[in-house]
Amino acid sequence: MKNRKSFFRIVSIMLVAVLALVGCSSSNDSGNDKEKSSEDQVTVDIFQFKVEIKDQFEDLVKVYEDENPGVKINVKTVGGGNDYGGTLKAAFASGDEPAIFNVGGPSDVEEYRAYLADLADTAAAEAALDGTLTAVQEDAKVLGLPFNQEGYGLIYNKNVFEEAGINVEDIVTFEDLQNVVETLDKQKEELGLDAVFALPAKELWVLGDHISNMFIAPEFNNDIQEAYHAETIALEKGDELKRYLDLQNKYSVQPILSLDYSQQVEQLFSLEKVAMIQQGNWVYNSVYDMDPDFAENGIGILSVPVEGFEGHIPAGVPMFWAVNDKKDDKVVQASKDFLDWLYTSETGKNAVLEDFKFIPAYKDYDAEKISDPLSKQIYEFAEVGKTIEGWVYQATPTGWNQETLGVNIQKYLSGDMEWDEVISKSIEKWEAERQ
Amino acid sequence: MRNRDISFWLFLAPVILSLSLVIMIPFLYGFVYSFTNWNGINATEFLGFKNYINLFKDAEFRASIWFTTKFAIVSVILLNFLGLGLALLVTQRMRTSNFMRTIFFMPNLIGGLILGFIWQFIFISVFGSIGELLGIEALTGWLSTTATGFWGLVILTSWQMAGYIMVIYIAYLENIPKDLLEAAEIDGASSFQKFKNIIFPLVAPAFTVSMFLTLSNSFQIYDQNLSLTNGGPYNSTQMVAMSIVKTAFTENKMAYAQSQAVIFFIIVAAVAVTNVYYNKKREVDM
Amino acid sequence: MKKRKRKSFLIEIFGLLLALLWLSPFYLMIVNAFKSKRDIFTDVLGFPSEFVTENFVKAYIDLDFTKSLFNSLFITILSVGIIILFSAMAGYALARNKSRLSGMLLLVFVAAMLIPFQSVMIPLVSLFGKADMLNKTGLIFMYLGFGCSLSIFLYHGAMTGISKSLDEAAIIDGANKFQVFWHVVFPLLKPISVTVGILNVIWIWNDYLLPSLILPDSSATIPLKMFLFFGQYTKQWHLALAGLTIAIIPVIVGYFFAQKQIIEGVSEGAVK
């Protein structure tokens, strides 16, 4: 009883305090109080998707703020098992719009068209490498600036390959790959492997975006814009896609449907339990965290054999920076200035190469400084023209890649759907969306 | 206080204002918009029942309703069984019964989202490694199939809510007159007979209360669903609440999502009204 | 008699084992929160090979915990305070007005409980967005709307135990309606206020979906921040578990101090 009394007293005191607070608290916590900040101070809200560079990016922003005292930059990084796109949509719907945000390609451009500032007059747009702007170019307008380049393929464990007596140069066609996989599988025990592959079928972006892209892009001549305007899709290379999926599934650590990226890269590949994984240069940091020595010396990347494109690596721009045109002119200008500084100033360039470990999408970078072996290799592929440009999955009907094709592939892999149905249902959905 | 007293309305003003702005108006708005092509900002044409027709054709939505229903039924049975069992256990005369009460109730206080993340770790990593150690295939690959995802959700919510249902049963158990039980004991009744003839009939109303609570809770679960399986694999463990959120805020189909929300309301309200009706009927019968 | 003793001893042992099983998820969380990433992958069940306290430091910083704790506290205390005050006022007014109208109003409030949140979520966000109210203030106002129904119902029920003669005596002494409520009735409603407070605190403190749609990042509460560790590509279990542990601590502390009231309050709220 006594207890109750004092408990209640505390509650009532809190209440009174709280009610006193109400009056003075609610006036300044709204999401858009830019007008209230002092006259010469500009606030730029950035909303970016790359979790991997969160800390490094925030550090760099601090440097920029020190150099430009009149600018305040708030960075929000949305990783989250929930997707960036959804969170961004919610932010726009709620009026809490960022000044700088990320768009993936033509579909996003279409969706946010009303908000996209023309960036053609920026130094960064000038410096962007040929072909990196296709996805966001309209007539003379440039509606986004490339983040970086990324490439993916089969990342392999050099030590295991060596021990098994495999020469990477010999892997050209799909049959070659199949033979190598079988060779490795026979020696699993001696090599200390759980399996040859780790196929993270839990991740829709691996199935729907990356794997599928290699077998869809040729149909549209590797051209994003062409895919974006296509009313239908034939999935000509469907059988090849199936063959490739079956191979990975058969020789993968099971069960694949609960296997996620973290298990694939950190647990299985970094601890040398599998010989190969299909991923891109972005895994380097994760591997490095687990085993620095292995990351620096033990991994390489080889191309996925797609008929007609053997020896090529799909490389492209995963995301673009966009500037919100609806903000004050001052804010728009400050946003452009920041992006220019990020990609064209010495400080920015260094951070892009050494802290973010990006493969730059801009001119005048010292390729020697690319710090990790995977990015270096991909850059080399690019130099000799052995890349497949055009990440067509950014130009499919919204959500089609992951929610339709990816989900159907998941169903196929778990035995709930026949392959023919995967193909027909995905085509059907594409056509329905593009009507 | 009379109706025409200004003070009567002043006392009610804050809640009437908030209830209408937060629930009533949005509810009516949503109902109207579910018949249009609303995109969250504006609506340009009236579609009649088109959204609803598409909804009934939508295999994924039907699956989510079915999944939610199954989940609700299994949860209700399991939770009441667990809740009553725990209540009987902690009302025994024991030194540690208070301690037990505290422990069993604890998961309730923590948000479903946080608990979902903890269990995700347990199902994937801990189950996996126990399975490997003991060579039990069934323990590996949890949450990778629809079935394990389903049972994962059931286990999580049962563990979370059992203590809550236990507390309700305790309230009723403590109202059972002691002398009744003592008399039965003197007459040589076994524990089972006591349970069957005295405890169970007197605790029956608690069953109705907790059945309603568990049903409406299981139908509306979202947080746990999000953090445990996020609907995977291939959206097969997606419940109705999640389907609405995803359709609205990920796919941006506001009107279509709103029509799902209207159907959802009809189901939840039907469950509740049935429940109230039965309660009233039983009270009359008594 | 001896047989009975043994039986109750066995029941007690069984109960304690069950309680341990109940606690095991928390144990697994804490043990693994002290491991390095590598350790978690190689040995989940064992003790940490070395205790990594750094996880907690990093998780604390990532969660921006001081700020998110403040946000959570601010929103919860304010919302619950407002719900208690306004619902008690409404419950009092409805109970003291014996007309058909007030019966109708009470029915409307109870009926509003039937509407699930998801059914009003989309228009709610869009309407409040238009009014530029997607912030803490708007959120607190929404909590009043969603929380008042049950609270009014509880207060209305408790009013029956408070005799009208008290009001009348105070009126004769020259008090106005609000003074009567504040000085005479509200103090007598203490027990039910505790119940209402507890029920709403548990709900608002842990709520995820509504604030995730409403709050700008600068006022994110603890549950909203939890997603940080579950990046789109990487799951940082060692940090996530440490973060989850940190997030649970305030709840456990609160539970420790007021467990009796909490259990009583919850049972009262449910049984009514």
Side-chain angles (χ1 to χ4, degrees):
Chain A
M1 204 62 223
K2 216 174 178 175
N3 226 339
R4 232 185 193 181
K5 263 213 172 90
S6 62
F7 176 76
F8 189 75
R9 192 166 303 145
I10 292 168
V11 170
S12 13
I13 289 169
M14 273 182 176
L15 240 177
V16 174
V18 154
L19 289 173
L21 270 175
V22 171
C24 51
S25 66
S26 51
S27 57
N28 57 2
D29 65 342
S30 68
N32 39 12
D33 48 3
K34 318 238 174 334
E35 292 77 22
K36 292 189 197 69
S37 58
S38 68
E39 278 306 296
D40 49 349
Q41 178 88 356
V42 184
T43 307
V44 177
D45 290 318
I46 299 185
F47 196 41
Q48 71 101 19
F49 87 111
K50 239 190 175 350
V51 193
E52 295 87 339
I53 60 162
K54 177 175 177 288
D55 299 347
Q56 295 87 331
F57 187 67
E58 283 170 6
D59 292 345
L60 184 66
V61 162
K62 280 199 192 79
V63 173
Y64 186 76
E65 285 176 329
D66 292 343
E67 284 184 23
N68 303 276
V71 185
K72 169 98 188 66
I73 299 185
N74 302 318
V75 183
K76 180 178 179 183
T77 303
V78 175
N82 42 355
D83 59 328
Y84 176 82
T87 323
L88 182 65
K89 241 172 242 163
F92 271 92
S94 70
D96 182 30
E97 303 165 11
I100 299 181
F101 57 101
N102 304 151
V103 290
S107 334
D108 282 356
V109 167
E110 191 59 46
E111 189 161 336
Y112 292 103
R113 180 178 307 281
Y115 297 99
L116 298 176
D118 181 12
L119 305 171
D121 58 347
T122 57
E126 272 306 298
L129 291 175
D130 291 343
T132 54
L133 294 172
T134 7
V136 288
Q137 236 164 342
E138 286 185 353
D139 311 326
K141 281 188 181 163
V142 175
L143 301 174
L145 296 170
F147 236 84
N148 62 329
Q149 292 197 83
E150 288 183 347
Y152 61 91
L154 289 166
I155 297 176
Y156 63 96
N157 181 325
K158 285 181 178 169
N159 316 329
V160 168
F161 270 46
E162 208 166 309
E163 232 176 299
I166 295 165
N167 187 357
V168 183
E169 313 290 307
D170 302 341
I171 307 176
V172 182
T173 63
F174 183 81
E175 284 67 34
D176 298 339
L177 179 66
Q178 214 167 353
N179 293 335
V180 164
V181 171
E182 279 161 14
T183 314
L184 286 166
D185 189 59
K186 284 197 192 85
Q187 306 178 42
K188 232 169 30 178
E189 305 289 315
E190 299 90 84
L191 296 168
L193 298 175
D194 287 355
V196 181
F197 286 111
L199 174 62
K202 187 178 182 176
E203 307 287 8
L204 287 169
W205 53 276
V206 172
L207 302 177
D209 294 353
H210 293 165
I211 294 185
S212 309
N213 185 61
M214 296 185 282
F215 300 94
I216 291 174
E219 214 174 300
F220 303 112
N221 302 317
N222 300 321
D223 179 351
I224 292 192
Q225 296 293 354
E226 192 173 323
Y228 186 61
H229 295 109
E231 295 198 349
T232 182
I233 181 167
L235 290 169
E236 293 157 9
K237 284 184 175 283
D239 290 346
E240 259 190 271
L241 170 60
K242 175 176 183 289
R243 187 173 71 166
Y244 177 61
L245 282 168
D246 288 345
L247 179 75
Q248 279 211 46
N249 186 9
K250 186 176 171 187
Y251 295 103
S252 169
V253 172
Q254 298 291 344
I256 51 172
L257 278 178
S258 64
L259 203 70
D260 62 23
Y261 173 86
S262 149
Q263 285 168 294
Q264 177 200 26
V265 176
E266 294 170 331
Q267 190 172 350
L268 295 163
F269 187 72
S270 301
L271 299 176
E272 308 198 46
K273 295 285 180 205
V274 294
M276 275 185 271
I277 53 172
Q278 188 206 289
Q279 277 302 352
N281 56 301
W282 52 82
V283 304
Y284 178 79
N285 282 341
S286 302
V287 179
Y288 188 90
D289 284 347
M290 296 296 292
D291 189 341
D293 181 53
F294 177 57
E296 277 170 28
N297 310 310
I299 55 179
I301 189 165
L302 58 99
S303 108
V304 175
V306 176
E307 279 173 26
F309 297 92
E310 286 88 351
H312 284 63
I313 287 261
V317 177
M319 275 289 209
F320 297 84
W321 295 103
V323 173
N324 187 344
D325 212 12
K326 293 259 193 300
K327 294 274 175 200
D328 297 350
D329 292 347
K330 251 197 331 205
V331 176
V332 171
Q333 196 49 51
S335 304
K336 288 179 177 177
D337 292 345
F338 171 73
L339 291 173
D340 275 345
W341 179 85
L342 173 63
Y343 287 114
T344 58
S345 76
E346 282 312 309
T347 321
K349 281 185 186 174
N350 275 336
V352 166
L353 283 174
E354 288 170 20
D355 301 339
F356 303 174
K357 305 213 171 10
F358 277 176
I359 306 172
Y362 298 90
K363 291 178 206 138
D364 307 327
Y365 276 76
D366 181 1
E368 276 311 301
K369 277 197 183 155
I370 298 180
S371 49
D372 75 85
L374 295 178
S375 300
K376 242 203 191 82
Q377 254 187 293
I378 289 164
Y379 204 77
E380 282 158 12
F381 272 99
E383 277 183 321
V384 294
K386 290 238 174 203
T387 51
I388 303 172
E389 306 252 327
W391 289 23
V392 168
Y393 67 79
Q394 294 160 337
T396 58
T398 310
W400 180 86
N401 266 17
Q402 291 191 20
E403 294 301 319
T404 305
L405 185 59
V407 163
N408 288 343
I409 290 176
Q410 271 187 341
K411 287 181 181 166
Y412 165 73
L413 291 171
S414 64
D416 286 347
M417 200 185 248
E418 292 295 321
W419 184 255
D420 301 344
E421 214 179 328
V422 172
I423 299 287
S424 62
K425 281 209 156 151
S426 304
I427 293 175
E428 223 169 277
K429 183 82 180 174
W430 179 296
E431 289 170 351
E433 294 280 325
R434 281 280 156 92
Q435 265 175 10
Chain B
M1 283 203 187
R2 291 184 307 271
N3 292 352
R4 58 168 187 275
D5 284 0
I6 186 89
S7 62
F8 173 71
W9 292 108
L10 276 179
F11 270 73
L12 284 169
V15 289
I16 289 180
L17 183 74
S18 64
L19 194 81
S20 27
L21 284 177
V22 174
I23 296 182
M24 297 303 171
I25 294 173
F27 182 70
L28 295 172
Y29 245 75
F31 186 73
V32 172
Y33 274 139
S34 69
F35 295 95
T36 66
N37 66 345
W38 185 49
N39 61 1
I41 300 155
N42 50 27
T44 50
E45 61 181 306
F46 184 79
L47 300 176
F49 281 98
K50 196 172 163 200
N51 284 324
Y52 291 93
I53 292 163
N54 288 342
L55 203 58
F56 284 104
K57 283 192 213 154
D58 186 341
E60 202 166 88
F61 181 69
R62 283 205 310 263
S64 75
I65 289 195
W66 174 230
F67 187 86
T68 311
T69 312
K70 266 197 307 193
F71 172 81
I73 293 168
V74 173
S75 295
V76 167
I77 295 169
L78 207 64
L79 270 172
N80 281 291
F81 175 76
L82 272 173
L84 181 58
L86 293 178
L88 287 169
L89 179 74
V90 301
T91 46
Q92 303 284 335
R93 269 159 301 180
M94 291 184 290
R95 271 158 310 169
T96 49
S97 64
N98 255 339
F99 165 76
M100 284 180 203
R101 236 177 254 210
T102 309
I103 300 294
F104 291 139
F105 185 74
M106 193 162 84
N108 251 296
L109 296 174
I110 300 163
L113 188 86
I114 289 178
L115 298 178
F117 283 136
I118 298 175
W119 277 92
Q120 191 193 27
F121 175 73
I122 290 173
F123 284 134
I124 293 177
S125 304
V126 179
F127 270 40
S129 75
I130 293 177
E132 256 169 55
L133 271 178
L134 305 176
I136 305 170
E137 272 297 306
L139 285 179
T140 51
W142 267 65
L143 307 186
S144 70
T145 60
T146 314
T148 49
F150 176 83
W151 288 106
L153 278 163
V154 168
I155 291 171
L156 161 62
T157 42
S158 302
W159 172 77
Q160 185 187 357
M161 278 187 65
Y164 179 49
I165 304 303
M166 168 190 84
V167 166
I168 298 171
Y169 277 111
I170 290 174
Y172 283 84
L173 282 173
E174 283 176 340
N175 285 341
I176 296 177
K178 283 267 183 298
D179 47 6
L180 209 63
L181 289 171
E182 275 160 16
E185 210 146 304
I186 289 163
D187 291 345
S190 69
S191 298
F192 178 72
Q193 279 169 322
K194 266 194 300 186
F195 179 77
K196 193 175 138 243
N197 298 320
I198 302 169
I199 299 176
F200 194 73
L202 286 171
V203 176
F207 179 71
T208 338
V209 169
S210 48
M211 184 166 115
F212 169 56
L213 280 169
T214 41
L215 256 183
S216 60
N217 262 326
S218 338
F219 260 102
Q220 298 187 44
I221 271 184
Y222 173 79
D223 296 7
Q224 292 87 335
N225 197 186
L226 177 74
S227 58
L228 190 72
T229 67
N230 199 1
Y234 46 87
N235 298 344
S236 64
T237 60
Q238 184 170 282
M239 301 214 196
V240 183
M242 187 184 245
S243 167
I244 296 169
V245 175
K246 259 199 179 159
T247 311
F249 298 107
T250 315
E251 297 171 28
N252 228 9
K253 299 176 182 157
M254 297 292 178
Y256 189 59
Q258 191 54 44
S259 62
Q260 292 187 7
V262 171
I263 299 286
F264 182 55
F265 159 73
I266 293 171
I267 295 172
V268 172
V271 167
V273 170
T274 318
N275 191 280
V276 171
Y277 171 78
Y278 266 98
N279 268 352
K280 282 271 182 290
K281 204 175 136 187
R282 225 203 35 239
E283 276 164 23
V284 172
D285 289 349
M286 275 183 156
Chain C
M1 230 42 244
K2 223 180 182 154
K3 205 171 113 194
R4 272 197 76 169
K5 258 228 163 75
R6 221 182 81 198
K7 197 172 132 195
S8 69
F9 177 73
L10 282 176
I11 289 177
E12 185 153 7
I13 292 291
F14 170 74
L16 287 174
L17 286 174
L18 203 60
L20 281 181
L21 182 71
W22 232 249
L23 282 176
S24 60
F26 296 116
Y27 163 80
L28 287 163
M29 169 185 78
I30 292 168
V31 157
N32 284 294
F34 281 106
K35 290 179 191 171
S36 65
K37 202 186 222 172
R38 213 191 157 99
D39 235 4
I40 291 180
F41 288 136
T42 45
D43 178 19
V44 175
L45 302 169
F47 250 66
S49 60
E50 47 169 334
F51 277 83
V52 187
T53 44
E54 205 183 308
N55 292 347
F56 287 88
V57 177
K58 208 165 160 5
Y60 192 96
I61 295 167
D62 276 351
L63 282 172
D64 203 354
F65 193 72
T66 315
K67 194 174 163 191
S68 27
L69 178 69
F70 175 79
N71 285 333
S72 272
L73 280 171
F74 179 88
I75 288 167
T76 308
I77 293 173
L78 226 64
S79 307
V80 174
I82 289 170
I83 290 174
I84 288 179
L85 178 69
F86 291 148
S87 306
M89 276 163 49
Y92 166 73
L94 290 174
R96 286 289 184 260
N97 172 323
K98 288 273 177 274
S99 69
R100 184 181 287 176
L101 173 85
S102 84
M104 283 284 295
L105 282 171
L106 189 65
L107 194 67
V108 169
F109 282 115
V110 174
M113 279 195 252
L114 294 181
I115 300 176
F117 170 70
Q118 275 82 7
S119 302
V120 296
M121 159 183 86
I122 308 165
L124 179 74
V125 172
S126 131
L127 284 170
F128 275 65
K130 280 186 189 135
D132 217 2
M133 281 281 278
L134 295 177
N135 51 37
K136 278 188 203 162
T137 320
L139 182 67
I140 290 166
F141 184 76
M142 288 180 204
Y143 278 137
L144 175 61
F146 287 114
C148 67
S149 291
L150 177 67
S151 312
I152 291 173
F153 181 70
L154 289 172
Y155 276 116
H156 186 266
M159 281 300 300
T160 49
I162 297 173
S163 123
K164 235 180 148 141
S165 56
L166 288 170
D167 296 27
E168 281 151 9
I171 301 258
I172 291 163
D173 289 345
N176 66 25
K177 279 277 193 305
F178 191 79
Q179 285 168 322
V180 172
F181 167 76
W182 186 244
H183 294 291
V184 180
V185 179
F186 193 59
L188 290 171
L189 290 170
K190 256 183 218 179
I192 206 75
S193 294
V194 174
T195 300
V196 168
I198 283 168
L199 290 175
N200 286 305
V201 166
I202 295 174
W203 157 56
I204 293 174
W205 181 267
N206 292 320
D207 196 23
Y208 167 77
L209 183 54
L210 179 62
S212 77
L213 300 171
I214 305 293
L215 290 180
D217 194 46
S218 55
S219 25
T221 57
I222 297 171
L224 301 193
K225 283 280 187 190
M226 270 348 286
F227 267 96
L228 250 165
F229 305 111
F230 298 85
Q232 201 155 355
Y233 306 123
T234 44
K235 219 179 264 155
Q236 310 276 7
W237 275 124
H238 58 306
L239 297 178
L241 292 165
L244 290 163
T245 310
I246 294 172
I248 289 175
I249 288 170
V251 180
I252 301 295
V253 170
Y255 187 43
F256 182 79
F257 279 109
Q259 56 159 299
K260 209 167 148 31
Q261 284 93 340
I262 289 174
I263 294 185
E264 272 172 20
V266 168
S267 112
E268 212 166 330
V271 173
K272 284 221 169 64

